[in-house]
Every structure is written in structure tokens, then in C-alpha cells.
Amino acid sequence: MGTGARACDASASLAARVVRGDHAAVGRALSIVIDESEGYEDLARAFFVHSGRSHKVGICGPPGSGKSTLINRLVAHYRKAGEKIGVLAVDPTSPWTGGAFLGDRLRVQQHAMDPGVFFRSLGSRGTIGGLTSTIFGAIHVLEAWGCDRILLETVGTGQDEV
């Protein structure tokens, strides 16, 4: 079996684990898609069939306006209704690691151990407009995981340029 076939099989296996609800697989799949690591195209293709299954809500505003606080309350409200929630928070990119600089997970700690919530910070990677180019692949991963709603928090206007 060639390297391409093995990579495709690995992508299919990881995708199947995500669809079955494996939290660790969701994290791994998000890392591959967000970082555009080797094989991310095959993986993204596997998740695309699950697209359009969740309600997406965008939260934007300047730094300090309460975006994360609002998301924290929305997650609590939606979980009380029994919904499975994904949160993608775009933060400024760290010049040292290339990852999300702020990692707003600190503001949503009450949901950290909830198996029905998946939270991921993404670095903006210099993208202007509040979202990163890999956000759509990340959305597809969370849809395949079975999210009823996906909350998208943009980097604060002007925050990324500081």
C-alpha cells in the first residue's frame, strides 16, 4: 500500500472517530485542518459531507466588549436545552508560537469538562477581518462531531494589529 493510500485511510479513520463523538479525535482533526498539515485536504473532504448541519452564530466586537462573556452565557443556555456546542475563538497570533495569543478559554472554564462542548482557539495568522482562512474546515469538523450550534468569536477589531 502506497503512502497516499495510507494517508487516505488514516484520514478516513480519524473522520470516523470524530463522527462517533471521540473528543480526542476532534482535537486532532482540528489541529490537522487548522494547521493545514499533511493530509488535511483528504480529511477536510471527509468532513465536507457533514456540512450545513449546525446553526452558526458569529460574535464580533472590539476588544473588551464582552464577546467571551456572552459566549460563556450562550453556551450555558444552549447546554441547558441539551444542545451540543462548538466554539471557535479567533485570537491574535503569537509571534513566538504561531498559535492563538490570548486563548480565551480562561473565560469559559465552567464548560471545560462538559463533554457536550468543544472549544478551540485559533490564531488569526495575520488575516484581516476577524476570521482565519481555515475557519471553514474547522466548522466542518465540529459539524461532523454533531454540533447543534457553533459559536464563532472573531478577533477584536484592531486587536490583531496591535
Side-chain angles (χ1 to χ4, degrees), residues 3 12 43 64 91 102 106 112 118 124 154 158:
T3 307
L43 192 56
D91 291 322
L102 298 176
L106 294 174
F118 199 98
S124 63
T154 66

Side-chain angles (χ1 to χ4, degrees), residues 4 6 14 24 82 96 104 154:
R6 269 182 278 179
L14 183 58
W96 298 282
D104 272 344
T154 66

Side-chain angles (χ1 to χ4, degrees), residues 117-136:
V117 177
F118 199 98
F119 190 100
R120 175 61 68 96
S121 293
L122 295 82
S124 63
R125 298 183 183 174
T127 302
I128 303 299
L131 295 175
T132 178
S133 61
T134 58
I135 195 84
F136 299 106

Side-chain angles (χ1 to χ4, degrees), residues 14-78:
L14 183 58
R17 288 176 43 217
V18 169
V19 171
R20 285 193 306 266
D22 182 336
H23 239 259
V26 175
R28 180 71 186 128
L30 282 170
S31 293
I32 291 169
V33 170
I34 291 166
D35 295 339
E36 295 180 329
S37 299
E38 184 179 343
Y40 83 94
E41 298 99 340
D42 291 331
L43 192 56
R45 218 177 280 103
F47 292 127
F48 189 73
V49 299
H50 301 281
S51 65
R53 295 182 178 183
S54 65
H55 186 96
K56 288 82 154 175
V57 179
I59 311 290
C60 60
S65 63
K67 297 181 299 289
S68 296
T69 301
L70 176 60
I71 286 175
N72 191 36
R73 301 252 171 107
L74 287 171
V75 169
H77 173 76
Y78 295 141

